Amino acid sequence: MRMQMLAEALRAGGPRAGRGIGRRNFLRGAGVGALALGAPSLLAACGTQSQVQSEETCGSTDLSDTEKTLIFSNWPEYIDVKGKRMPTLEGFETESGITVTYNTDVNDNNEFFGKVKDQLGACEPIGRDIITMTDWMAARMIGLGWMQELDKDNMPNVVSNLKTDLQSPTWDPDRTYSVPWQSGLTGIAYNAKYTGEVSSFEELMTRTDLKGKVSLLSEMGDTMLFMLLLEGANPEDFTDEQWSAAIGRLEGYVGSGQIRRFTGNDYIRDLNAGNVVACEAWSGDVIAMQYDNPDIKWVVPEEGLSLWSDNMMVPNKADHKANAEALMDYYYQPEVAATLAAWVNYICPVEGAQEAMEKVDPSLVDNELIFPSEDFLKNAYGFMELDETTRQAYDKDFAQVIGA
């Protein structure tokens, strides 16, 4: 049933699929940067323990009352666009009187971390009022004390409309520092022109007909989540021993020649061409690929799904926190959220947006990739929060195995 729901959801993507891949069409997590730059990109922030900050060591001053401006850093192609306009963002500017400088300079979590770690670690401004990071990197930055606490009194829509299942991540239990922008899924894609259905990661890693024709993601959290599931471990709560077993499992698959390579979004080219016939993949990419190539299929693996979010946060020394909170709150109005979701085709975090979608685009109201049901996500997992020392150690283990 879940496979059928997903197939219907993917078919519902239609012409808008070509618009909705940008956030993943660049680099996510370690992404392509890991392959292009090598291991240093995976381990870009080693030695940051000395850069830990706190509210006491790094205070910030908010100039929002006198300066109606805001600088927002987000992933490319991750907002609604009409010609040269961004309608929802323009709506916020009109409604609030705040002028937004919108940057698409978050191409990769580790790459962006490398850009800003020295300033944030030294309690210096980075020239941005909002940054948008994937869960594990958001957790890392919060853990280092680099983000400002948000004032929920300034965000009544967020308080009322943030979906229940996103309200209490382990790394920010009360959403004290973060507000989800969009969420997404990681599973399996295969090219039906070259292979039959691949229904599980066990198959992906062991079927002899797939040997040398499989790729996995160079994003540690995504790939190791599935290795942990294969070990029978809970990716949201595992031990060092379970990690060691899972990394050993991955090493065995690499040594056997089953895996052709580890990739960022460049698996798209290989999968279309048949160089790779099955791979670990992000749902948004597959929606877009199917628009041009109906042989591309996406599977909910038998082991479960990887579920992630990208999160808005206000860094230390940002000058316009209240302005940033106003923007976050604006995007939690259901009709605004529906308009954004109709363009980006990722999971909408806003309660009431599904009903609002009736006016925005009725064809998307029942799309499980935007508004997944509880049943659809019953086997979806996030990746466990890691302290900085453990994160560095696990990054190193993973980089050594994948040859980054």
Side-chain angles (χ1 to χ4, degrees):
M1 177 61 70
R2 295 171 72 223
M3 276 293 298
Q4 181 182 357
M5 289 191 299
L6 178 61
E8 291 171 353
L10 288 169
R11 284 195 296 269
R16 66 182 50 77
R19 306 181 309 188
I21 64 167
R23 182 261 182 273
R24 296 293 181 226
N25 196 35
F26 285 76
L27 317 179
R28 177 180 179 268
V32 180
L35 281 299
L37 302 176
S41 67
L42 280 171
L43 307 175
C46 288
T48 53
Q49 284 295 337
S50 62
Q51 297 178 308
V52 173
Q53 296 291 345
S54 68
E55 192 174 345
E56 290 71 32
T57 62
C58 189
S60 303
T61 302
D62 191 2
L63 304 177
S64 296
D65 284 344
T66 56
E67 296 182 2
K68 296 301 180 183
T69 61
L70 174 65
I71 300 174
F72 184 2
S73 283
N74 205 351
W75 297 77
E77 301 295 330
Y78 213 18
I79 197 169
D80 52 307
V81 176
K82 199 169 189 178
K84 295 184 178 181
R85 299 175 53 241
M86 292 179 279
T88 60
L89 197 61
E90 291 178 10
F92 169 72
E93 291 181 318
T94 300
E95 181 179 299
S96 66
I98 297 168
T99 300
V100 181
T101 300
Y102 186 80
N103 298 321
T104 55
D105 55 349
V106 184
N107 290 330
D108 172 279
N109 283 294
N110 277 313
E111 178 189 64
F112 190 83
F113 188 99
K115 287 180 183 178
V116 301
K117 67 182 180 69
D118 290 339
Q119 296 99 306
L120 290 173
C123 187
E124 296 173 355
I126 61 170
R128 299 165 176 90
D129 299 301
I130 298 178
I131 60 175
T132 310
M133 299 279 100
T134 308
D135 291 326
W136 64 271
M137 183 56 80
R140 188 175 198 174
M141 289 181 160
I142 290 169
L144 288 165
W146 292 354
M147 298 297 123
Q148 294 189 51
E149 182 172 341
L150 301 173
D151 186 347
K152 292 184 180 179
D153 288 342
N154 291 335
M155 301 186 295
N157 290 320
V158 175
V159 172
S160 298
N161 298 332
L162 175 59
K163 286 191 171 179
T164 303
D165 59 351
L166 292 170
Q167 289 178 5
S168 301
T170 57
W171 46 271
D172 191 12
D174 297 316
R175 286 292 181 185
T176 303
Y177 300 96
S178 64
V179 173
W181 176 252
Q182 300 287 289
S183 301
L185 301 166
T186 308
I188 294 172
Y190 68 95
N191 190 327
K193 182 178 179 180
Y194 300 103
T195 189
E197 180 179 331
V198 182
S199 61
S200 68
F201 261 80
E202 182 71 29
E203 283 190 32
L204 191 67
M205 295 291 94
T206 60
R207 266 178 41 183
T208 56
D209 62 307
L210 301 177
K211 187 173 182 178
K213 301 175 184 178
V214 166
S215 67
L216 296 181
L217 294 168
S218 53
E219 165 64 39
M220 185 268 278
D222 275 327
T223 292
M224 290 309 299
L225 180 146
F226 288 105
M227 295 302 109
L228 286 159
L229 286 174
L230 288 172
E231 281 295 316
N234 181 354
E236 297 178 340
D237 185 16
F238 58 88
T239 65
D240 284 342
E241 289 75 21
Q242 289 171 322
W243 168 264
S244 295
I247 203 76
R249 176 182 285 270
L250 180 62
E251 189 172 21
Y253 294 143
V254 171
S256 73
Q258 185 76 6
I259 303 167
R260 180 183 179 92
R261 66 191 188 107
F262 292 83
T263 77
N265 286 94
D266 47 346
Y267 69 79
I268 292 172
R269 293 192 301 271
D270 282 341
L271 189 61
N272 269 320
N275 300 324
V276 161
V277 299
C279 63
E280 185 179 14
W282 292 305
S283 56
D285 287 344
V286 178
I287 294 172
M289 293 172 72
Q290 286 183 324
Y291 183 58
D292 296 316
N293 185 352
D295 288 325
I296 303 301
K297 311 296 181 183
W298 199 71
V299 174
V300 177
E302 291 176 1
E303 296 84 359
L305 286 163
S306 171
L307 175 65
W308 45 264
S309 295
D310 293 322
N311 306 275
M312 297 178 284
M313 300 183 294
V314 179
N316 288 345
K317 293 298 181 181
D319 291 331
H320 309 106
K321 185 169 80 76
N323 292 346
E325 291 161 345
L327 182 139
M328 295 176 189
D329 198 59
Y330 168 81
Y331 274 97
Y332 271 69
Q333 296 177 69
E335 190 163 337
V336 175
T339 302
L340 176 64
W343 201 92
V344 300
N345 281 312
Y346 280 101
I347 297 173
C348 181
V350 179
E351 201 69 58
Q354 186 168 17
E355 292 77 10
M357 189 65 83
E358 289 280 4
K359 295 180 180 179
V360 175
D361 187 340
S363 72
L364 297 180
V365 170
D366 296 319
N367 189 318
E368 288 272 7
L369 295 181
I370 299 176
F371 305 111
S373 64
E374 184 176 341
D375 181 65
F376 186 80
L377 294 179
K378 66 183 178 183
N379 291 322
Y381 299 88
F383 195 81
M384 186 174 76
E385 178 187 0
L386 302 174
D387 62 67
E388 184 66 13
T389 300
T390 303
R391 163 63 65 177
Q392 291 181 19
Y394 286 3
D395 275 343
K396 184 176 181 180
D397 290 344
F398 185 67
Q400 288 176 338
V401 171
I402 74 173

